Amino acid sequence: ITRRFAYELIKRDLIHPSQNVPAPDMGTGQREMAWIADQYARMNTTDINAKACVTGKPMNAGGIAGRVEATGRGVQYALQEFFREPLDLQRAGLSGSLEGNRVIVQGLGNVGFHAAKFLSQEDGAKIIAVIERDGALINETGLNVEGVADWRNKTGGLKDYPDAVFVPEGAKLLEHDCDILIPAALEGVINLDNAARIKAPLIIEAANGPVTAGADEILREKGCVIIPDMYANAGGVTASYFEWVKNLSHIRFGRMQRRQEEARSLMLLAELERLSTQMGADWSMSADFKKRFVQGAGELELVRSGLDDTMRAAMQAMRALWHSDENVTDLRIAAYLVAIRKVAESYQTKGL
């Protein structure tokens, strides 16, 4: 079915490396993207850029390291940048760092799982609840995200998971007290029916359109800060851009510079070790410093670095408007203005 669908799109020139480049979403993944890429290559045997016709492919079919995790990773980077700015935190009534903040995640698919995993394991946030199709789990001391995902994959649901309380009406936990709410699955889960009961001071839209327009207005009047979907879940498409660039350049990221970086690091380490020997017990390198410092950046590290930089720059552009213009009352309006101004400036530059 996928190949036939791809065939019909390709023969109409609706999929092309320089025109329309699809990527996976709900119900599809690396397997389907590999099928589409292969179908395109079969129909365009002389196109050396055929692999660039679609992104989200497996590594052995022209994919890029870090693509599967990218949307969830982008959510993490967005929150990290938000928490770097005291003015942002003040608007949300929060303070400090991500560590210890109580997080509820709605949807433990690819996006929700990776966002929850990275926030808990790397930033010290507490994932106190996870909401899925068959219900929800809650544990105020924090859930083991990988343990919950393994249980769900093994049993087909969340029920009877041993280290948490199962709540059959999972949607009710959207209204539970927490610091950060991450809707990461379906559209419209926060709507006119439940918006007034949402307690989270900060919502980050990891899904597309999880907050309806009416709910958005209610939440803003309550003082809730919403990090909008057009920015928050852009990690996937950003990594897809990196994959597209890799396919067009026909070389993996890091291949040209990694060993040279390692050689320079080894030279510096040799000098440090010489100084360490001379100074004796007065100074020494930590046990794992050498291993971490010497390792050059591979494709995964470069993709993560590029994604982090992209998410930081975008948030900083939105933040500048949000805090400087009294007519810009929220980050969603700021995001629209940043995007529209870029288009307008492009037109002006061209004299249109």
Side-chain angles (χ1 to χ4, degrees), residues 176-204:
H176 190 76
D177 187 34
C178 66
D179 301 306
I180 304 168
L181 178 59
I182 307 179
L186 303 173
E187 284 187 66
V189 293
I190 300 174
N191 48 56
L192 289 174
D193 293 333
N194 61 5
R197 297 189 298 275
I198 299 294
K199 298 181 179 66
L202 176 62
I203 297 173
I204 179 164

Side-chain angles (χ1 to χ4, degrees), residues 37 58 70 197 223 233 248 267-269 281 285 289 295 316 320 338 346:
R197 297 189 298 275
N233 65 37
L248 293 177
M267 182 173 65
L268 177 58
L269 276 174
M285 288 182 285
F289 172 77
Q295 184 177 359
Q316 289 162 7
V338 169
S346 175

Side-chain angles (χ1 to χ4, degrees), residues 137-171:
L137 295 175
I138 183 166
N139 184 337
E140 294 289 350
T141 62
L143 292 164
N144 180 330
V145 176
E146 290 186 297
V148 172
D150 288 343
W151 181 269
R152 191 269 318 270
N153 295 337
K154 179 181 176 182
T155 66
L158 301 181
K159 192 175 182 181
D160 298 325
Y161 179 73
D163 299 321
V165 175
F166 178 73
V167 180
E169 294 184 28

